[in-house]
């Protein structure tokens, strides 16, 4: 039983990393296999919006990762910074970056692949939440009650 739980823990820890690599590879391959050159948005407002999404998402991702780096090893529950408001700021920020890239290069294929991956990411988030509720029990349930999954809770 202990070995089985350890295997589940390892799977939940590794699955998001494997999926980010897979999604990145699919986006990269699809982009180059489509035989179309990237079209940078010709509308300056759209271009600026895309760049801002990339920069904001990148900064938010870095902030989230810095707060999570130590506790990933110690298994301490992080409830400060962006984690105070949302339980999955890394997913939100990385999707913001990807959305910005899609806007800058105005790629329908890019958005299609991102949409296909949304349910996959949601299932991974649910598995992570199950895992964290097992580790942190009532503390995690209270944290869940106070914070949104992807977007901040309003009252």
């Amino acid at each position: 039983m202990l070995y089985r739980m350890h295997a589940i823990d390892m799977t939940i820890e590794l699955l998001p990393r494997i999926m980010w690599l897979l999604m990145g590879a699919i986006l990269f391959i699809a982009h180059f296999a489509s035989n179309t050159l990237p079209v940078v948005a010709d509308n300056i407002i759209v271009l600026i919006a895309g760049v801002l999404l990339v920069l904001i998402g990148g900064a938010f991702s870095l902030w989230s990762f810095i707060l999570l780096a130590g506790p990933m090893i110690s298994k301490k529950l992080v409830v400060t910074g962006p984690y105070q408001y949302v339980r999955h700021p890394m997913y939100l920020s990385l999707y913001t970056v990807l959305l910005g890239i899609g806007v800058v290069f105005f790629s329908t294929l890019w958005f299609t692949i991102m949409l296909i991956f949304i349910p996959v990411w949601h299932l991974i988030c649910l598995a992570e939440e199950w895992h964290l509720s097992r580790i942190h029990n009532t503390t995690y349930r209270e944290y869940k009650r106070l914070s949104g999954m992807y977007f901040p809770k309003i009252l």
Side-chain angles (χ1 to χ4, degrees):
M1 177 72 174
L2 183 59
Y3 174 77
R4 183 170 170 242
M5 292 311 289
H6 183 65
I8 290 171
D9 292 344
M10 289 302 295
T11 301
I12 290 172
E13 295 276 336
L14 292 175
L15 189 60
R17 291 155 185 82
I18 292 167
M19 291 307 294
W20 279 118
L21 290 173
L22 178 63
M23 184 178 179
I26 289 171
L27 285 168
F28 182 80
I29 290 166
H31 176 72
F32 287 102
S34 66
N35 288 330
T36 58
L37 293 174
V39 178
V40 176
D42 55 0
N43 182 329
I44 191 70
I45 294 171
V46 172
L47 184 62
I48 290 171
V51 169
L52 283 174
L53 284 170
V54 170
L55 293 174
I56 291 167
F60 197 62
S61 180
L62 183 61
W63 182 29
S64 300
F65 180 76
I66 287 169
L67 288 172
L68 191 62
M72 284 174 67
I73 296 165
S74 69
K75 303 297 181 220
K76 180 182 171 223
L77 184 62
V78 179
V79 294
T80 58
Y83 294 92
Q84 181 177 354
Y85 306 103
V86 288
R87 297 187 302 274
H88 300 281
M90 289 290 290
Y91 294 101
L92 176 63
S93 60
L94 290 172
Y95 248 80
T96 302
V97 168
L98 293 174
L99 178 66
I101 292 170
V103 168
V104 167
F105 292 111
F106 204 72
S107 171
T108 307
L109 182 59
W110 189 270
F111 291 122
T112 304
I113 292 169
M114 284 178 59
L115 284 172
I116 290 168
F117 269 87
I118 287 174
V120 173
W121 291 118
H122 182 68
L123 290 173
I124 289 172
C125 288
L126 291 174
E128 287 179 351
E129 291 199 349
W130 170 81
H131 177 68
L132 288 169
S133 65
R134 242 188 51 231
I135 294 171
H136 299 289
N137 204 349
T138 56
T139 307
Y140 191 75
R141 276 186 269 154
E142 179 63 14
Y143 170 61
K144 226 173 137 173
R145 188 182 68 74
L146 296 172
S147 61
M149 190 168 193
Y150 305 108
F151 303 102
K153 277 191 175 176
I154 301 174
L155 300 176

